[in-house]
Amino acid sequence: MRLLIVEDDQATLQMYHDNIEAYSRAAGIEITPDIKGNLNDAKEALKSPDYDAAIVDLKLSSDKIELEGKEIVDEINQNLRFPLFIVSGSIGQIETEENAFFKKRSRDDDFREVLKEITDIYNTGITRILGNKGDINDYLNKIFWNHLSTSLDVWINDGDRDKDEKYKSLLRYTLLHIQEYLELTEESDFEAYHPAEIYITPPIKARPFTGDIVMDKKNSEKHIILTPSCDMAQGKARDILLVRIESTNHGLFNEKINVIKKNKVSKDVLDEAEETVKRLITNSFSNKYHYLPSYKDINAGLINFQKLRTLRLKEFEENFNIIASINSSFTKDIVARFSYYYSRQGSPDFNVEEIFKSSL
């Protein structure tokens, strides 16, 4: 882990050095600090950054009143992609609120806790994905030479689109190829997704769209929009089709979970309950349901395709809030299951015994 340290006080630097050495041994991680003791050196380092995190003091010179370190803070916050920890006696002068990548710590705080926080972020792999030399760049190189180099003529010779339309088309093309690379393992199996990948929160689209999760303001019940995408995208929809998301704290899912938790039934009943829960989670139990996992403030639930509701657009906008969107790949699966559920026509059964005997 490469750690940028912007600090001019020698006693503080010695403390940092001792703690980094001890923490590295204890945590089994190699931390390489790159120390910059003044504003100019720090600014120069940020011209070609290859860091996994930064620790910055705000006051870099004892004979100056201004907080020179703020320039470094602003540059990282606005233009770079690695976590930033301000460790200073002047953190009260920074009004920016903390988030996962921006932390403010006092000099009196335990520096080992700062190192642990940085390591926890580093271990997610986020800087390997989005850092200056991250995996995204590797994928972009592959797409540039393996795909775009043989297909760019399509855009060059396109006389129907202006340059902005070509740019957005190429951007979508590039992102789709990155998605394709990421969906498969090296053995060409599909990767198992994290629940966080299913949801887009907060929602990006300003208007309601297919696959949006919405909440009824009156009773907090959650639904998902199933109005066809073509109607939503073209603004033709005057009615919004909703389907209810039932909490897993009620109904069949909760019933089977309670059987498992209490563990006071026979092994056959217990096995059946466990099998039902797993089939509900994997969407192989019944086309009536579609499972949605929990994520942050979104509780796990079962979309129940029997519980439909249609509202006029105006009534919908007055009574519902959009709280999240479902990734388009997962939305397609939900819509397909909904369509299949209501397209079942049924047919008379064959005489199985008769056909079986005739086959022999």
Side-chain angles (χ1 to χ4, degrees):
M1 177 168 64
R2 292 202 70 220
L3 180 61
L4 173 65
I5 296 177
V6 183
E7 172 64 65
D8 69 321
D9 183 74
Q10 292 303 311
T12 300
L13 286 172
Q14 185 60 51
M15 182 271 289
Y16 284 177
H17 176 80
D18 294 342
N19 277 275
I20 288 172
E21 197 173 76
Y23 182 84
S24 295
R25 286 197 304 270
I29 183 171
E30 183 178 351
I31 301 176
T32 304
D34 185 12
I35 298 168
K36 304 299 176 185
N38 58 67
L39 179 61
N40 290 335
D41 287 350
K43 289 168 70 174
E44 191 66 28
L46 295 184
K47 290 181 180 179
S48 54
D50 182 21
Y51 300 109
D52 295 293
I55 294 173
V56 178
D57 181 21
L58 295 174
K59 194 168 180 59
L60 297 177
S61 178
S62 57
D63 57 351
K64 292 184 178 180
I65 298 176
E66 61 268 23
L67 301 176
E68 293 182 319
K70 193 173 182 305
E71 285 191 46
I72 305 303
V73 170
D74 292 342
E75 175 64 18
I76 295 173
N77 259 335
Q78 295 166 18
N79 300 313
L80 299 172
R81 297 189 299 269
F82 50 82
L84 167 63
F85 281 66
I86 298 175
V87 180
S88 175
S90 308
I91 55 175
Q93 299 188 48
I94 300 294
E95 296 180 356
T96 307
E97 291 188 9
E98 291 191 358
N99 56 51
F101 298 135
F102 180 74
K103 307 284 187 180
K104 295 179 283 187
R105 298 291 180 264
S106 167
R107 284 192 181 278
D108 296 330
D109 291 343
D110 187 344
F111 186 67
R112 289 168 298 182
E113 285 300 313
V114 173
L115 291 174
K116 183 181 183 305
E117 288 185 82
I118 291 173
T119 303
D120 287 344
I121 297 172
Y122 173 77
N123 284 338
T124 66
I126 187 65
T127 51
R128 191 162 66 92
I129 296 170
L130 293 176
N132 193 50
K133 296 181 180 179
D135 286 352
I136 292 294
N137 282 338
D138 292 338
Y139 287 122
L140 290 176
N141 290 339
K142 288 181 182 178
I143 293 166
F144 189 86
W145 291 110
N146 297 344
H147 303 279
L148 280 170
S149 65
T150 58
S151 61
L152 193 62
D153 286 349
V154 173
W155 283 273
I156 293 173
N157 298 323
D158 185 350
D160 296 327
R161 293 170 178 79
D162 62 29
K163 63 179 184 180
D164 289 335
E165 290 172 324
K166 290 181 181 180
Y167 166 78
K168 288 186 177 180
S169 174
L170 271 170
L171 184 57
R172 288 193 296 269
Y173 175 94
T174 302
L175 294 175
L176 284 170
H177 279 67
I178 291 178
Q179 180 72 19
E180 187 76 5
Y181 275 112
L182 292 174
E183 281 186 344
L184 298 176
T185 65
E186 292 182 1
E187 295 78 23
S188 294
D189 295 323
F190 282 100
E191 291 277 10
Y193 274 58
H194 189 285
E197 298 178 73
I198 297 175
Y199 304 105
I200 299 170
T201 177
I204 294 173
K205 297 181 181 72
R207 298 169 58 187
F209 201 76
T210 314
D212 283 349
I213 296 176
V214 299
M215 184 172 67
D216 192 324
K217 295 178 183 177
K218 296 177 181 177
N219 55 27
S220 298
E221 289 181 353
K222 294 182 178 63
H223 299 73
I224 182 171
I225 297 176
L226 288 182
T227 306
S229 298
C230 54
D231 289 350
M232 301 298 290
Q234 298 170 14
K236 295 188 298 184
R238 294 292 176 265
D239 296 283
I240 304 297
L241 176 63
L242 302 176
V243 61
R244 174 81 183 278
I245 301 173
E246 296 179 334
S247 170
T248 53
N249 293 325
H250 306 283
L252 178 63
F253 194 98
N254 186 60
E255 174 191 325
K256 299 300 181 182
I257 286 291
N258 284 333
V259 169
I260 298 168
K261 286 181 176 179
K262 291 177 182 177
N263 196 17
K264 294 181 179 179
V265 293
S266 67
K267 185 178 185 304
D268 288 346
V269 174
L270 198 63
D271 288 346
E272 186 275 334
E274 184 175 323
E275 179 69 15
T276 298
V277 170
K278 288 180 178 179
R279 290 183 64 194
L280 284 167
I281 292 171
T282 57
N283 293 316
S284 58
F285 178 77
S286 165
N287 286 308
K288 171 184 172 181
Y289 298 114
H290 190 101
Y291 178 79
L292 293 175
S294 63
Y295 171 64
K296 295 177 70 173
D297 296 333
I298 301 172
N299 296 323
L302 288 172
I303 301 173
N304 187 338
F305 292 119
Q306 287 189 333
K307 296 190 176 181
L308 299 175
R309 182 178 181 183
T310 304
L311 297 173
R312 298 295 288 178
L313 180 61
K314 184 178 180 182
E315 184 183 357
F316 169 82
E317 292 175 339
E318 289 175 351
N319 295 298
F320 285 82
N321 288 325
I322 303 171
I323 60 174
S325 299
I326 294 179
N327 178 325
S328 59
S329 298
F330 291 94
T331 297
K332 290 174 184 175
D333 187 35
I334 292 169
V335 172
R337 186 179 298 273
F338 167 69
S339 302
Y340 178 79
Y341 183 71
Y342 279 98
S343 67
R344 297 171 306 151
Q345 297 299 315
S347 62
D349 290 333
F350 294 113
N351 186 323
V352 178
E353 288 298 323
E354 179 183 349
I355 295 174
F356 175 74
K357 289 177 181 178
S358 66
S359 298
L360 296 176

